[in-house]
Amino acid sequence: MTPQMPPLDAVNAALQRIAARDGDVRAWIALDPAGARAQALVTSSAAPLAGLVLGVKDVIDVAGMPTTHNSPLGNPAPAIADAPCVAVLRAAGAIVLGKTDTTEFAAAGRNAATANPHAFHRTPGGSSSGSAAAVADGHVPIALATQTGGSTIRPASFCGIPALKPTWGVISREGAKQYANSLDTIGLYATSFPLLERMAAVYDMAPPSDLPTAPRIGLCRTPYWDRAAPETHAAMQDAAARLRAAGAVVVEVDLPPLFDRLERAFMAILFREGAAAFLSLARTEPHLLHDDFHTRIASRATYSDAEWAEAQDITDLARIEAERLLSGLDAFLTPSAPGIAPVGRGPGNPIFNQMWTQLHLPVVNLPLYRAQEDMPLGLSLVGRRHSDRSLIALGAALADVLGLHRPLA
């Protein structure tokens, strides 16, 4: 399933792969073969994403398909129009094949049924479970995700694929379920960095800067380093050694004490903005709303208005400081997840993702492969705001140096 494949052949190849594999992987909630084939027949070969088959996380509207949110409160009626993030890709020639499974409302509650394609007893990560697994297992070459804490980058780490969590606000979130307004971000998955770059380009992200001959990389273990598994410690050490051997300048980055306060601040913002997002469902359909969401509604007792306001101020100050720390670097290198994908269907721990989401910084997952565990494990490149495409280019340049993992054949 290559970008050069004729569009109709690409759709049929995707459907064949899904038929062969999705009984175990369970990445998809709904497929639209007829709609995809009809679009393939009218796709211009000159379009920038011509013939690329697309999966869409089922918290994002696709015209003619329900948006279920993996919830009994999902809308059974077909969406009237594509969400803008979908419309932009479709206008560029991408062919929408269907909706992928997700944690309920991309937030909490019910887990996706999706399995990790590398080991069916392990999670693909959440909440963008189906999108990550569909790309990793070769069903489609590109997919849409979302991230409020770590829901794009962590599944990419667990499934072994390139991913971009863009600068906050650079892709419209209209037509996607809101969870936390100041955190929610549309994410991108692809089987390769060149495809990730093509997707970023059609969203009119700033063009990449020239690649440095000797990249300056800040090794950033974050305040949560003691929560990383041994395989993540080893991956960071190995990556630093490989980068130095290849001529990169690798420096240790110690985040100032202000950053120690970001975890509590993140939770205050997440829960209080989440309470606003789900209040209407708690008032109108309380018996159908999962207890996790009622907990968010009740979060005023845990996070007061004063703490919520302080959390926003702390975050604003940390954004300024993060830009200063990145000013002399091409990127931070930091974990994408505590370790390899855990057993089960839980979404995984977002502790190594949520700070960067909170700071509105772009993040690219570098999918490594840890042979001793026979599972993928990601590291993240984090850049200054609006350096998204430069970050993708840097990731592509580091691929051979770091021995990046390739999706399943």
Side-chain angles (χ1 to χ4, degrees):
M1 202 183 326
T2 67
Q4 292 74 33
M5 187 180 293
L8 187 57
D9 291 348
V11 171
N12 289 332
L15 290 167
Q16 289 170 9
R17 178 70 173 177
I18 290 166
R21 293 280 295 176
D22 206 47
D24 292 316
V25 177
R26 302 180 69 182
W28 299 88
I29 284 180
L31 294 166
D32 181 17
R37 288 183 174 120
Q39 187 184 346
L41 292 173
V42 298
T43 297
S44 167
S45 61
L49 301 181
L52 291 178
V53 184
L54 170 69
V56 179
K57 183 176 179 176
D58 197 24
V59 294
I60 302 171
D61 287 346
V62 169
M65 302 191 75
T67 307
T68 76
H69 307 287
N70 186 23
S71 171
L73 289 165
N75 189 348
I80 295 172
D82 287 337
C85 62
V86 176
V88 168
L89 296 182
R90 199 195 291 269
I95 299 167
V96 179
L97 186 60
K99 308 297 285 293
T100 57
D101 205 355
T102 174
T103 307
E104 189 170 359
F105 288 114
R110 300 198 304 182
N111 292 323
T114 311
N116 191 306
H118 299 279
F120 296 148
H121 66 292
R122 294 184 182 273
T123 180
S127 60
S128 303
S129 315
S131 286
V135 171
D137 201 44
H139 303 184
V140 290
I142 59 175
L144 285 174
T146 67
Q147 180 157 310
T148 302
S151 294
T152 294
I153 296 300
R154 191 177 62 261
S157 177
F158 290 168
C159 290
I161 55 174
L164 171 68
K165 194 292 292 181
T167 301
W168 181 81
V170 77
I171 300 177
S172 171
R173 291 177 291 122
E174 180 186 354
K177 175 60 181 147
Q178 182 175 296
Y179 176 15
N181 183 57
S182 67
L183 303 171
D184 293 347
T185 310
I186 301 295
L188 309 180
Y189 289 143
T191 52
S192 69
F193 284 100
L195 285 186
L196 204 60
E197 157 61 19
R198 287 166 64 183
M199 294 176 78
V202 302
Y203 286 112
D204 285 346
M205 298 182 198
S209 303
D210 292 338
L211 280 169
T213 54
R216 292 186 57 84
I217 306 297
L219 204 65
C220 184
R221 294 182 175 85
T222 81
Y224 321 116
W225 187 238
D226 60 346
R227 305 187 212 182
E231 62 264 28
T232 297
H233 286 210
M236 286 281 282
Q237 182 177 355
D238 179 67
R242 286 172 180 256
L243 289 169
R244 289 187 174 109
V249 177
V250 180
V251 298
E252 299 280 346
V253 173
D254 293 320
L255 299 176
L258 171 66
F259 286 73
D260 296 339
R261 303 172 67 188
L262 286 179
E263 183 179 6
R264 174 78 183 186
F266 175 88
M267 297 307 296
I269 294 168
L270 179 78
F271 271 71
R272 290 304 305 273
E273 291 187 359
F278 293 103
L279 180 62
S280 64
L281 294 178
R283 296 284 171 82
T284 60
E285 302 281 359
H287 59 294
L288 293 178
L289 191 64
H290 194 282
D291 286 347
D292 285 350
F293 300 101
H294 287 289
T295 299
R296 281 151 179 75
I297 305 303
S299 63
R300 184 186 292 270
T302 305
Y303 304 104
S304 67
D305 289 348
E307 183 173 5
W308 186 14
E310 182 183 33
Q312 293 167 327
D313 293 343
I314 290 167
T315 300
D316 287 341
L317 292 172
R319 285 180 188 138
I320 296 169
E321 182 62 13
E323 292 283 347
R324 186 190 69 79
L325 290 167
L326 281 161
S327 63
L329 300 169
D330 294 295
F332 290 154
L333 183 71
T334 194
S336 289
I340 64 170
V343 171
R345 291 294 179 268
N349 189 339
I351 191 61
F352 286 106
N353 317 118
Q354 62 194 34
M355 177 170 65
W356 312 120
T357 312
Q358 186 177 1
L359 298 179
H360 293 172
L361 299 173
V363 183
V364 163
N365 180 62
L366 304 174
L368 309 181
Y369 190 80
R370 308 307 300 170
Q372 64 268 38
E373 298 96 5
D374 200 32
M375 287 294 293
L377 173 67
L379 296 180
S380 287
L381 290 176
V382 180
R384 296 180 297 278
R385 282 172 289 186
H386 304 293
S387 67
D388 305 65
R389 291 172 67 187
S390 293
L391 211 59
I392 294 170
L394 182 60
L398 298 181
D400 290 336
V401 173
L402 295 179
L404 263 60
H405 175 65
R406 300 297 189 266
L408 292 169

